[in-house]
Amino acid sequence: MVYNLKDKLVVAVSSRALFDLETENKIFEDKGLDEYYSYQLKNENSPISKGTGFRLIENLLKINRHFSEKEKQVEVIILSKNNAVISLRITNAINEYKLDIARSGWTSGRDLSSYLQAFKVDLFLSANDADVTKAIKNGVAAAKILPTGKDVHSSLGDQVRIAFDGDAVLFSEESELIYKEHGLEAFIEHEQQNRDKALEKGPFAKLLLTISAIQEKFKDKESPIRTALVTARSAPTHERVIKTLNVWGVRVDEAFFLGGSEKYEVLKAFGADIFFDDQDVHLELSSPVVPSAKVIHKSLEAHQKTLAP
């Protein structure tokens, strides 16, 4: 029987995003591939600690408890540049943590992004900048998992809590580029002039729509997913955001328009299992308190370089 991935929320995660493999990665960087393979094989049965993406993946998989095997909503796939020979250590860790992950791909160093469409991936989490950038170019929501402290690996409960930044994440980078190039006043004027025009979809818009479709299945009871928009926008520029979500026919459970104030305390109070943002200034403060991931935009980075002295 063919297993259809089309109507599911499909998350592909690299082994280094799911587990703490920083020691192993340093061996690879400092001593090369042969030493890395040797270390992994020698430690095939050694335990692996949870990585930044573990909390999100664990709680996403719990959504399937509400559905039959045929109707389960979430599929998680391991996609790794490792060789299949050393995959057993990762498999052992998956079994140890009782994660329902059956599918994987091991490419022996080959680019992962070309396989994302084949697996119908909605979200790709990796610890590698280049892999994330290529995935976004291929139209897949992708983010670079950031290192974080061990104390953030325990979630507040079984409900998945996902927090998104707005511009350049849920929405296109158009308005953010205006702010960066022309300043706050020009940004406010532009948003007021276009308040009735829906923002273009950003790299994570499709993911939000997919999550919303799952939430619709829980109309009469508490959803196992809760979402939050946490943005530096404030009145009056928040109007365009609200109208855009209405046009898309999608809701977020909580929305915070912070007007440039710090996001990390709100994210901690929300209990985010993951926070997606494109700006280091916010992620540097959020990653010590909640699992965080960077959405990489080449257009924004190129623009930033042109502004550099």
Side-chain angles (χ1 to χ4, degrees):
M1 182 182 293
V2 175
Y3 188 79
N4 193 349
L5 294 170
K6 265 190 177 180
D7 298 322
K8 303 182 189 301
L9 170 60
V10 181
V11 180
V13 59
S14 72
S15 54
R16 191 152 67 98
L18 183 60
F19 298 114
D20 181 358
L21 294 169
E22 294 312 303
T23 297
E24 289 81 352
N25 188 59
K26 185 164 178 54
I27 291 171
F28 170 71
E29 290 177 346
D30 294 347
K31 299 182 180 179
L33 187 61
D34 289 341
E35 285 290 327
Y36 170 77
Y37 278 165
S38 176
Y39 179 89
Q40 290 283 53
L41 289 170
K42 286 177 183 175
N43 289 275
E44 184 176 299
N45 295 309
S46 299
I48 310 176
S49 298
K50 299 174 183 179
T52 303
F54 186 95
R55 175 171 156 181
L56 172 68
I57 297 303
E58 182 180 43
N59 278 347
L60 279 173
L61 287 169
K62 288 176 183 177
I63 294 171
N64 290 332
R65 295 176 182 175
H66 299 273
F67 301 90
S68 68
E69 182 65 24
K70 279 186 178 181
E71 296 175 333
K72 70 180 187 177
Q73 301 293 297
V74 178
E75 186 73 33
V76 175
I77 298 165
I78 300 291
L79 274 185
S80 173
K81 285 183 176 177
N82 280 317
N83 189 294
V85 173
I86 64 167
S87 66
L88 289 179
R89 189 180 183 209
I90 304 302
T91 303
N92 289 339
I94 288 170
N95 293 335
E96 179 68 25
Y97 287 114
K98 295 180 172 57
L99 298 177
D100 181 19
I101 301 175
R103 290 166 179 79
S104 62
W106 310 86
T107 69
S108 298
R110 188 178 174 187
D111 175 24
L112 299 174
S113 65
S114 58
Y115 296 99
L116 298 176
Q117 297 290 352
F119 280 110
K120 310 295 186 294
V121 171
D122 296 297
L123 172 65
F124 175 54
L125 299 175
S126 173
N128 184 280
D129 294 65
D131 289 342
V132 169
T133 301
K134 288 174 183 176
I136 288 177
K137 284 183 177 177
N138 284 344
V140 176
K144 179 187 177 183
I145 286 288
L146 302 177
T148 191
K150 291 182 180 178
D151 57 340
V152 306
H153 293 317
S154 296
S155 64
L156 297 182
D158 291 347
Q159 188 182 53
V160 187
R161 301 194 173 200
I162 304 176
F164 301 92
D165 179 33
D167 295 293
V169 179
L170 289 181
F171 315 118
S172 78
E173 69 271 32
E174 176 192 354
S175 296
E176 189 163 313
L177 285 170
I178 290 171
Y179 170 73
K180 287 180 178 294
E181 187 171 344
H182 301 291
L184 181 59
E185 287 187 13
F187 168 75
I188 293 173
E189 182 181 356
H190 177 267
E191 294 307 288
Q192 281 292 89
Q193 289 175 351
N194 292 277
R195 62 179 173 269
D196 294 322
K197 179 183 177 184
L199 288 153
E200 294 293 326
K201 291 177 180 175
F204 279 68
K206 182 177 178 290
L207 176 63
L208 179 63
L209 291 167
T210 302
I211 290 171
S212 183
I214 295 175
Q215 289 177 313
E216 283 292 309
K217 299 177 188 294
F218 293 87
K219 279 186 176 180
D220 299 325
K221 52 187 175 180
E222 185 180 40
S223 170
I225 310 177
R226 192 167 184 84
T227 57
L229 170 66
V230 184
T231 173
R233 285 179 181 247
S234 61
T237 62
H238 73 302
E239 295 176 29
R240 192 179 182 195
V241 167
I242 294 170
K243 290 179 179 180
T244 296
L245 294 174
N246 288 339
V247 169
W248 292 359
V250 68
R251 65 176 172 85
V252 290
D253 296 296
E254 302 184 31
F256 302 94
F257 301 97
L258 300 178
S261 60
E262 302 295 358
K263 298 180 178 182
Y264 71 96
E265 290 182 306
V266 168
L267 292 163
K268 185 177 181 181
F270 175 65
D273 291 312
I274 196 74
F275 171 53
F276 297 109
D277 203 314
D278 66 302
Q279 295 191 46
D280 292 332
V281 65
H282 299 303
L283 292 165
E284 286 168 2
L285 294 173
S286 70
S287 57
V289 296
V290 297
S292 302
K294 182 176 181 180
V295 181
I296 300 169
H297 272 278
K298 283 301 179 185
S299 58
L300 289 173
E301 288 187 349
H303 179 75
Q304 196 65 37
K305 288 178 182 178
T306 64
L307 296 179

